[in-house]
Amino acid sequence: MKLIVGNWKMYPPTISEAKSIFGVIKKKTKGVTRARVVVCPPAFYLSTLVALRGTSKIFFGGQNCFKEDEGARTGENSPRALATLGGSYVILGHSERRALGETDKEISEKSVTAVRNKLTVILCVGEHARDEHGTHFNEVSTQLRDSLSGFPKSMAKHLVIAYEPIWAIGANALHPATPSDFREMSILIRRYLTEYFGKTAAFTIPILYGGSVDERNAEGFLQEGDAGGLLIGRTSLDGEKFSAIVKIANDIKTT
Ligand code: PGA
């Protein structure tokens, strides 16, 4: 089953817009049974949207959480509160957070606390740039090794990896990666996961692609790139387009 995750970042600016985007997704993805939809709204909107979920099978996630369950940590988000409010996933190590100074060590600590709170971690990795020497492979390997260093080996089913090359993310992206760029990197990621978790567990971990995904290129990543799903920023704020991607994922035959 493909996993389609919408990362809303700090958008939209009002709760009424958030409700309306969510309403479109809920309506348009009705009947989807072979793809899982995860919406990661700004934390302030979470409980309102969870209350609107109704009988839909839409899951929710946070965009970050702190490395402790609770505490005197002004401005931080508790993973326990996220889980209690109806969150099932949390995005950790997004490049926009790494750019603010978040380290692999912190990401590793956050992951441990998140899984202890029964959240599934969507761990983001991705290189700044590519060159002909293949330094991007080393960059991603280091991120994987260091940000997974504390992850409990028995909890592979609570892990998702999102490969998001930084040069392909956001409005200033050069261009999206290609399905074959994704495939190549996912082999390296799968190899690392196999070393860490063992073969059987490693093959249960979905590897998503993220970075300038839209309704035109999504199928290529899912089909040709064999991605386990997609992590979508800008396009996830367009309920119609995001739902169209969910339907593409729903129609893909997986073995
Ligand atoms: P984008 O963002 O789809 O807007 O490129 C992806 C992400 O940052 O997760």
Side-chain angles (χ1 to χ4, degrees), residues 7 9 94 96 164 168-171 210-213 231-235:
N7 174 12
K9 308 194 179 182
H94 191 281
E96 287 157 9
E164 296 206 303
I169 298 178
S212 297
V213 172
L231 177 53
I232 307 172
R234 282 158 295 160
T235 308

Side-chain angles (χ1 to χ4, degrees), residues 43-79:
F44 295 128
Y45 300 161
L46 186 68
S47 11
T48 305
L49 299 184
V50 169
L52 295 176
R53 172 163 47 185
T55 54
S56 80
K57 296 273 175 353
I58 299 174
F59 287 76
F60 289 94
Q63 300 172 13
N64 179 35
C65 67
F66 196 59
K67 62 182 177 185
E68 294 161 12
D69 292 346
E70 60 178 357
R73 305 291 187 194
T74 304
E76 293 291 351
N77 284 323
S78 154

Side-chain angles (χ1 to χ4, degrees), residues 79-90:
R80 186 183 292 168
L82 171 60
T84 312
L85 283 176
S88 307
Y89 290 82
V90 64

